C-alpha cells in the first residue's frame, strides 16, 4: 500500500516537473506574445489617433475619418493577435484563423446577424454621410445632436441631455431628417386675432416685430399670412428663417422669443387674442336650455 502511494506521489511530482519545465521553456515566448499584443494595442491606439487627426483636419468628413480610424484600430489589434500566436508557437492556430476567415465570417455573421447588419450599416453611413458630428437630426420620434458613429450604433444627445444610442441599421432603414446640414431652416407658428381686428395691420405689425428679434435672418425677412378662419379667431401663420449651427439656441429658443414679442406687440396695440369659444346650439324642438341646480346636503 505504501509502495503504491510512493509510486503515485512520484508520478505526480514527475508530471508537475514536466509541465514546469515546459512552462519555463515557453516562458520567453509567452512574455514575447504578451509584449507583442501590448505593443499592438498601443500602436493601434496611436494609428487610430493619427488617422483620425489627419482625416478630420483635411476634410469636413469627421464621421468618415473617425469610422476609418476605428476599423483600422481593430485590424491592427487582430494582426497583433496573429503575430502573438506565431511567437507562441501556435502558427497552426494563426494559419487556421486566416484560412477559415470566410467560413468564420459566415458563421459569425449568421450567429450575430444584428451585429453584422449594424456594422455594415455603419460603414454605409460613414461613406454616405447623411449627417456629420454635431449635426442635429431627427430619427422617427427622437431629435438630438450627433455625438459619434460607433461600429454598432449612432450616439445622439437630446435637448434634455439624454444619451440615445440608435442601431445603425435602424437609421439606415428609417427616414432621417438633418435639421442643421443646410445651415438654415424655416420655422413657423400660428397666432389668432379677433375677427373685428384689421388683419392686414396685424400682419404688418407681426412682420416688423419678428424682424426686430435678434437671431432672425435679415436677408430673408419674416412674413405672415392669414392661414385659417377658426371658430373664434382669425389665425395668422408667421414664417421666419434662422441659422441652424446650434439648433437648440438658434431655432427652438428663438421661436419662443419671437412668439413672446409678437403676442406682446399685438396686445399693446389693441389687438384681441380671444380664447377658444364653445358654442351651445338649441334645436327647433328645444325652447330653452335645461339647467338643473343641485343643492348640497346639510352634511356637506
Amino acid at each position: 500500500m505504501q509502495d503504491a502511494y510512493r509510486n503515485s506521489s512520484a508520478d505526480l511530482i514527475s508530471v508537475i516537473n514536466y509541465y514546469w519545465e515546459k512552462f519555463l521553456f515557453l516562458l520567453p515566448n509567452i512574455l514575447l506574445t504578451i509584449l507583442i499584443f501590448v505593443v499592438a494595442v498601443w500602436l493601434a491606439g496611436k494609428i487610430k489617433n493619427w488617422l483620425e487627426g489627419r482625416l478630420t483636419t483635411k476634410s469636413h468628413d469627421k464621421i468618415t475619418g473617425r469610422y476609418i480610424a476605428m476599423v483600422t484600430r481593430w485590424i491592427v489589434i487582430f494582426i497583433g493577435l496573429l503575430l502573438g500566436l506565431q511567437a507562441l508557437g501556435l502558427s497552426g492556430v494563426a494559419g487556421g484563423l486566416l484560412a477559415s476567415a470566410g467560413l468564420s465570417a459566415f458563421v459569425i455573421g449568421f450567429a450575430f446577424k444584428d451585429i453584422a447588419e449594424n456594422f455594415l450599416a455603419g460603414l454605409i453611413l460613414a461613406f454616405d454621410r447623411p449627417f456629420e458630428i454635431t449635426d442635429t437630426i431627427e430619427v422617427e420620434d427622437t431629435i438630438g445632436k450627433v455625438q459619434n458613429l460607433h461600429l454598432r450604433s449612432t450616439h445622439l444627445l437630446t435637448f434634455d441631455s439624454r444619451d440615445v444610442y440608435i442601431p445603425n441599421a435602424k437609421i439606415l432603414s428609417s427616414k432621417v431628417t438633418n435639421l442643421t446640414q443646410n445651415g438654415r431652416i424655416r420655422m413657423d407658428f400660428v397666432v389668432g386675432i379677433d375677427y373685428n381686428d384689421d388683419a392686414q395691420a396685424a400682419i404688418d405689425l407681426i412682420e416688423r416685430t419678428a424682424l426686430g428679434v435678434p437671431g432672425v435672418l435679415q436677408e430673408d425677412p419674416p412674413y405672415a399670412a392669414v392661414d385659417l378662419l377658426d371658430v373664434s379667431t382669425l389665425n395668422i401663420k408667421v414664417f421666419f428663417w434662422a441659422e441652424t449651427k446650434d439648433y437648440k439656441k438658434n431655432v427652438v429658443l428663438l421661436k419662443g422669443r419671437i412668439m413672446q414679442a409678437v403676442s406682446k406687440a399685438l396686445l399693446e396695440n389693441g389687438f384681441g387674442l380671444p380664447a377658444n369659444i364653445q358654442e351651445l346650439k338649441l334645436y327647433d324642438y328645444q325652447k330653452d336650455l335645461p339647467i338643473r341646480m343641485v343643492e348640497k346636503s346639510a352634511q356637506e
Side-chain angles (χ1 to χ4, degrees), residues 214-262:
V216 175
L217 293 182
Q218 302 293 312
E219 58 271 21
D220 200 345
Y223 61 94
V226 175
D227 180 64
L228 179 66
L229 301 178
D230 211 345
V231 175
S232 56
T233 58
L234 188 149
N235 290 345
I236 298 176
K237 199 166 190 177
V238 185
F239 302 88
F240 68 94
W241 289 87
E243 293 181 349
T244 58
K245 185 177 181 180
D246 187 338
Y247 189 84
K248 179 180 178 181
K249 179 180 178 181
N250 294 345
V251 179
V252 178
L253 298 181
L254 175 61
K255 180 179 179 179
R257 291 197 300 269
I258 295 175
M259 293 177 70
Q260 291 178 4
V262 167

Side-chain angles (χ1 to χ4, degrees), residues 9 16 20 32 36 54 65 74-75 128 186 188 229 231 241 284:
S9 299
I16 292 175
W20 176 250
L32 180 60
I36 290 174
R54 296 277 293 183
W74 285 108
I75 291 176
D128 189 45
R186 194 195 71 183
D188 60 75
L229 301 178
V231 175
W241 289 87
D284 294 338

Side-chain angles (χ1 to χ4, degrees), residues 23-295:
F23 172 75
L24 292 178
F25 177 78
L26 293 174
L27 183 59
N29 292 345
I30 294 174
L31 294 177
L32 180 60
T33 299
I34 296 174
L35 178 62
I36 290 174
F37 189 73
V38 170
V39 171
V41 173
W42 175 83
L43 185 62
K46 289 292 184 181
I47 293 176
K48 174 183 177 294
N49 294 334
W50 179 79
L51 269 179
E52 186 174 334
R54 296 277 293 183
L55 294 175
T56 55
T57 54
K58 286 192 173 183
S59 67
H60 298 289
D61 301 333
K62 293 183 180 180
I63 285 280
T64 307
R66 289 185 179 184
Y67 201 85
I68 292 175
M70 191 186 312
V71 173
T72 304
R73 175 177 177 268
W74 285 108
I75 291 176
V76 173
I77 291 176
F78 181 71
I79 293 175
L81 177 63
L82 294 180
L83 293 177
L85 291 175
Q86 290 277 358
L88 197 58
L90 301 176
S91 57
V93 176
L97 285 176
L98 292 176
S100 61
L103 179 61
S104 299
F106 174 77
V107 173
I108 292 174
F110 183 78
F112 301 98
K113 177 178 177 295
D114 292 339
I115 296 177
E117 184 180 7
N118 288 316
F119 172 77
L120 293 176
L123 193 62
I124 295 173
L125 290 174
F127 287 94
D128 189 45
R129 300 187 301 277
F131 50 78
E132 189 51 79
I133 299 295
T134 71
D135 279 355
T136 299
I137 65 172
E138 179 180 4
V139 182
E140 294 185 350
D141 57 346
T142 302
I143 298 178
K145 183 180 290 187
V146 179
Q147 301 298 304
N148 206 349
L149 175 64
H150 300 289
L151 292 176
R152 180 184 173 276
S153 61
T154 299
H155 178 196
L156 299 183
L157 181 65
T158 62
F159 293 153
D160 54 354
S161 295
R162 297 187 182 187
D163 294 285
V164 180
Y165 296 86
I166 304 177
N168 292 329
K170 183 177 181 181
I171 293 182
L172 191 64
S173 60
S174 301
K175 174 186 175 183
V176 179
T177 303
N178 194 320
L179 300 172
T180 56
Q181 188 177 50
N182 189 40
R184 53 187 292 177
I185 189 173
R186 194 195 71 183
M187 300 293 290
D188 60 75
F189 62 91
V190 175
V191 59
I193 63 172
D194 193 273
Y195 274 100
N196 294 324
D197 293 331
D198 187 343
Q200 188 57 50
I203 289 175
D204 295 338
L205 176 61
I206 290 172
E207 291 177 348
R208 291 196 305 271
T209 304
L211 187 61
V213 177
V216 175
L217 293 182
Q218 302 293 312
E219 58 271 21
D220 200 345
Y223 61 94
V226 175
D227 180 64
L228 179 66
L229 301 178
D230 211 345
V231 175
S232 56
T233 58
L234 188 149
N235 290 345
I236 298 176
K237 199 166 190 177
V238 185
F239 302 88
F240 68 94
W241 289 87
E243 293 181 349
T244 58
K245 185 177 181 180
D246 187 338
Y247 189 84
K248 179 180 178 181
K249 179 180 178 181
N250 294 345
V251 179
V252 178
L253 298 181
L254 175 61
K255 180 179 179 179
R257 291 197 300 269
I258 295 175
M259 293 177 70
Q260 291 178 4
V262 167
S263 61
K264 181 180 179 181
L266 289 172
L267 290 174
E268 289 178 349
N269 286 271
F271 291 92
L273 303 179
N276 189 22
I277 299 174
Q278 300 294 330
E279 180 181 0
L280 296 177
K281 183 177 180 180
L282 292 178
Y283 294 93
D284 294 338
Y285 64 88
Q286 292 177 307
K287 302 302 181 183
D288 54 12
L289 181 65
I291 298 177
R292 177 179 297 178
M293 303 296 294
V294 180
E295 296 182 0

